[in-house]
Amino acid sequence: MTAALQNDHPPEGGWTTDDLDALPEDGRRRELLDGVLIVSPSPTRVHQTIAGRLMVALEEECPDDYDVTQAVEVRINRTRSFIPDVLVTTSTAAAREPSRYEPHEVVLAVEIVSPSTRSIDRVLKPTLYAQAGIPFYWRIEVEDDGLVVHTYKIDAVNEVYLETGRWTKFVDTGEPFPVNLSIARITPRRR
């Protein structure tokens, strides 16, 4: 374990991806934002159900040029590292069997908004994913009357995402590949 975790103080100069690599594999979700370590609580059943169902649904429609996975780290630089809930990468990158991806290998990052990550998923991550050049971003909101999927495409010149859809029944988009997905299919059962 790193000294920083043992004495509850960040390393001098802030956390880096080298520090992340030295941390134990203990199931905690750790991300970096400009040298600040962000540790998220364990995801809920609803969150994990949406992520699992979305991954399977996207995988079924995914062409051979791409690969779909979930919760694999994207290293933006030495002091920024995020873990999208679901991501689509190039098949070439996936063939390496990586434990992390570079931003240029990621085609789509998907975040499922939780109460503890609202600002991060709505504002921070899309801004930084766009600056890193990730072409597509989806944000899934859990609302009282069901799920809403917001889809975005990068404006590469301005390094921002432009909304391409707000979907409540079906996600029907041709990017990054043709997707026609019933939102009911990824919606968890009510208990």
Side-chain angles (χ1 to χ4, degrees):
M1 210 185 305
T2 69
L5 274 185
Q6 291 173 348
N7 67 21
D8 206 25
H9 296 286
E12 190 173 321
W15 290 86
T16 68
T17 54
D18 292 338
D19 296 316
L20 278 184
D21 291 342
L23 294 174
E25 291 290 330
D26 58 7
R28 292 192 176 136
R29 185 181 205 132
R30 295 181 180 98
E31 297 175 299
L32 282 180
L33 172 60
D34 297 335
V36 175
L37 183 65
I38 300 170
V39 182
S40 300
S42 295
T44 64
R45 177 194 72 82
V46 168
H47 183 280
Q48 291 303 87
T49 300
I50 295 166
R53 289 180 178 188
L54 178 62
M55 186 185 95
V56 169
L58 288 175
E59 180 65 29
E60 287 174 4
E61 298 187 34
C62 184
D64 291 342
D65 303 11
Y66 301 114
D67 185 72
V68 183
T69 191
Q70 66 183 119
V72 178
E73 178 183 1
V74 178
R75 288 233 169 133
I76 296 173
N77 60 37
R78 282 186 44 81
T79 61
R80 286 186 186 163
S81 178
F82 296 116
I83 303 171
D85 294 315
V86 176
L87 58 161
V88 176
T89 67
T90 65
S91 59
T92 303
R96 308 188 276 110
E97 298 293 330
S99 61
R100 67 185 66 92
Y101 288 101
E102 298 295 320
H104 71 273
E105 298 173 315
V106 180
V107 178
L108 167 66
V110 180
E111 296 291 352
I112 301 161
V113 177
S114 299
S116 63
T117 64
R118 277 188 191 109
S119 296
I120 291 171
D121 293 339
R122 289 177 180 163
V123 180
L124 183 69
K125 283 188 176 181
T127 299
L128 298 177
Y129 288 154
Q131 288 176 0
I134 296 172
F136 299 95
Y137 177 71
W138 290 9
R139 186 182 80 242
I140 300 177
E141 300 269 355
V142 180
E143 297 184 357
D144 291 338
D145 56 345
L147 301 182
V148 178
V149 179
H150 300 266
T151 59
Y152 301 87
K153 180 178 181 175
I154 195 168
D155 169 351
V157 172
N158 295 307
E159 296 181 329
V160 296
Y161 287 118
L162 303 174
E163 188 168 34
T164 58
R166 182 183 181 281
W167 312 91
T168 58
K169 301 291 181 204
F170 288 89
V171 176
D172 187 7
T173 180
E175 299 173 313
F177 50 83
V179 174
N180 188 348
L181 170 66
S182 165
I183 290 180
R185 182 170 180 200
I186 65 171
T187 301
R189 289 184 244 163
R190 297 218 184 251
R191 299 282 178 193

